[in-house]
Amino acid sequence: MQHYWFKQKRYGFGAAPASWQGWAVTLAYVAIVAALGAWAFQNEAEIASRATKFTIITLALTVVLVGIALRTTKGGFRWHWGDDK
């Protein structure tokens, strides 16, 4: 039996954390992006040069998070209109 970290959303597209591993990955993502934001936008003189780096790193982290969620979500991602019975 495989343990899934994320579950499909009831409405819409995507997944939500369903286990401590899913929550840990999600919270790590949020913490890293918040720290990057604090670094990138702390000094007005360097915002322009750091904004591109911030965007590229955030996009890369998002791709990694979505990849992990796709691999560890039972049934993968698909659109939901509510209760599937």
Side-chain angles (χ1 to χ4, degrees):
M1 181 177 145
Q2 183 174 354
H3 178 73
Y4 294 102
W5 294 4
F6 294 87
K7 62 181 178 180
Q8 293 180 346
K9 292 173 65 177
R10 180 174 289 179
Y11 294 95
F13 184 79
S19 70
W20 72 266
Q21 294 96 333
W23 280 107
V25 169
T26 303
L27 292 174
Y29 170 81
V30 170
I32 292 168
V33 171
L36 281 171
W39 165 79
F41 304 111
Q42 71 181 349
N43 185 352
E44 281 189 44
E46 296 183 27
I47 288 178
S49 67
R50 291 182 178 180
T52 303
K53 293 174 188 173
F54 170 79
T55 302
I56 291 169
I57 294 169
T58 301
L59 286 173
L61 289 170
T62 302
V63 168
V64 170
L65 176 66
V66 170
I68 291 170
L70 274 170
R71 288 187 310 123
T72 60
T73 299
K74 183 176 182 178
F77 288 6
R78 66 182 183 89
W79 186 266
H80 289 273
W81 290 105
D83 291 328
D84 289 338
K85 296 194 182 208

